[in-house]
Amino acid sequence: MNTMSNNTPRVAIGADKQKDIEQFAFFLNPASGYARLRSKILNFYPKLEERIREVGQEQACAEIVLDMYRRFDEVLNDMITVIKNEFATATPAFDALAKYMAISDLHERSFVCIPTFLPFSPIDDKGNAFFFSIANAIAGNPSKPYRAVNVGIHEISHFIFFDQMASWAKKHGNSLNDAATHYFKEALTAALMDQKEFREFFGYENYPGNEELHELSIIYQGKTMNIVQFFKNEVFDIGHEYYSALASTLDLFFSRQDVFTQKWSEWNVAKSKDDLKKYKNPIEL
């Protein structure tokens, strides 16, 4: 692997109240397409739904977020200090990221890490920013060591993939729709972060990825497997050249992207695991 100076990107870390408010407003909007995440916010902040009915979503989001910045200012500043220290000592994780995604200029890239009071960690896919949830911290539940770096690697891998997908699209004249892109990036990242170097650095036994991947299966060349295992086999297998394997897998997703749109719809309307019977039907590539 390369040395620290070759692989560690610049990560600016700091609070941004306005962006946090905007993230709350986006995911609480029923039209966003993230019904499950909307429910997650309202379950974590049970008084928010009533306040939305009283004053509207925009004002309610601003009120609750700004109130939390006032109440938890010390917790927030402490978390920022911890996050900065952990990113400064995360060389092995960035080494592994550069290795597996075949990136030679990771050290030249810049990203922004923004703490958020959301109970999950979204990405700003219009820029180079990602969010790190401190909701557990304000609830009195300490984060595991390097949790922010774990989120950072996950999200930075998405930014890298977006660039790589853009190159594929330009070369082949194809583009994935939103649902296919979502499943591709999440499964790619889950397969990436289940590699040995990440498991050892972060201290987990396996990396299952986002919840919507757990019940999603692929049939490929007559074999049925979880979508994350499919990416391990087809992209990160030691016998494959990364860029060529990535392009081949993008071609497969492009040919069935309408099915991924249907799966995303099924996932978002499901209220419980009992509603996922149709969702569990494998996708044949």
Side-chain angles (χ1 to χ4, degrees):
M1 285 189 186
N2 298 332
T3 64
M4 177 179 175
S5 61
N6 286 339
N7 292 312
T8 303
R10 295 180 292 275
V11 181
I13 301 157
D16 190 322
K17 297 176 185 178
Q18 185 56 41
K19 281 191 177 293
D20 210 359
I21 292 170
E22 290 170 1
Q23 290 295 307
F24 268 81
F26 173 77
F27 286 105
L28 284 168
N29 186 344
S32 71
Y34 291 93
R36 280 175 169 254
L37 293 181
R38 183 178 191 275
S39 296
K40 195 169 186 176
I41 296 170
L42 296 176
N43 288 336
F44 198 89
Y45 299 107
K47 295 180 180 179
L48 181 55
E49 189 165 20
E50 180 181 352
R51 193 60 182 151
I52 290 174
R53 288 195 296 267
E54 292 172 349
V55 300
Q57 179 179 286
E58 184 176 348
Q59 183 176 333
C61 288
E63 285 180 358
I64 189 171
V65 174
L66 293 176
D67 179 60
M68 287 189 291
Y69 273 94
R70 286 189 293 268
R71 291 164 53 205
F72 299 106
D73 179 69
E74 186 175 346
V75 174
L76 175 63
N77 289 327
D78 288 346
M79 286 296 301
I80 289 174
T81 299
V82 169
I83 294 169
K84 287 180 177 179
N85 290 337
E86 291 188 345
F87 269 98
T89 56
T91 307
F94 288 112
D95 283 348
L97 178 60
K99 169 188 172 182
Y100 282 104
M101 296 196 78
I103 296 298
S104 61
D105 66 345
L106 187 56
H107 68 291
E108 298 177 357
R109 302 194 182 202
S110 299
F111 304 96
V112 178
C113 174
I114 304 170
T116 176
F117 287 101
L118 285 168
F120 50 87
S121 300
I123 186 175
D124 179 3
D125 56 11
K126 296 181 178 62
N128 65 340
F130 59 91
F131 296 82
F132 173 66
S133 175
I134 61 169
N136 279 333
I138 68 170
N141 303 317
S143 294
K144 293 180 180 178
Y146 289 100
R147 175 62 184 157
V149 176
N150 186 293
V151 170
I153 293 289
H154 183 119
E155 307 301 357
I156 289 170
S157 75
H158 291 340
F159 289 126
I160 294 170
F161 165 66
F162 291 149
D163 289 344
Q164 294 171 342
M165 182 174 66
S167 295
W168 166 82
K170 184 176 181 180
K171 182 177 181 180
H172 296 273
N174 297 330
S175 61
L176 294 188
N177 63 26
D178 288 346
T181 298
H182 175 82
Y183 280 112
F184 197 106
K185 72 181 176 65
E186 294 301 339
L188 179 73
T189 292
L192 165 78
M193 295 187 70
D194 204 40
Q195 301 301 315
K196 178 183 177 182
E197 291 90 338
F198 295 106
R199 293 198 308 268
E200 290 179 348
F201 182 81
F202 292 113
Y204 50 69
E205 292 185 7
N206 70 296
Y207 191 86
N210 285 15
E211 189 179 1
E212 65 269 22
L213 305 178
H214 300 176
E215 305 288 352
L216 191 63
S217 297
I218 298 293
I219 300 175
Y220 184 62
Q221 296 181 341
K223 296 181 180 180
T224 303
M225 68 201 83
N226 177 266
I227 189 171
V228 177
Q229 186 61 52
F230 168 76
F231 272 80
K232 289 181 190 176
N233 294 351
E234 299 305 315
V235 178
F236 294 113
D237 183 276
I238 195 169
H240 295 167
E241 193 277 321
Y242 174 75
Y243 285 108
S244 141
L246 187 75
S248 297
T249 311
L250 281 164
D251 289 341
L252 290 172
F253 267 59
F254 177 75
S255 69
R256 299 304 311 277
Q257 57 181 333
D258 56 325
V259 182
F260 288 102
T261 299
Q262 181 61 35
K263 290 295 184 185
W264 184 240
S265 176
E266 291 168 2
W267 172 257
N268 273 289
V269 299
K271 303 295 184 183
S272 67
K273 286 191 174 182
D274 294 336
D275 298 331
L276 294 175
K277 184 175 180 181
K278 187 176 180 182
Y279 185 80
K280 293 179 181 179
N281 291 334
I283 297 170
E284 186 165 4
L285 296 178

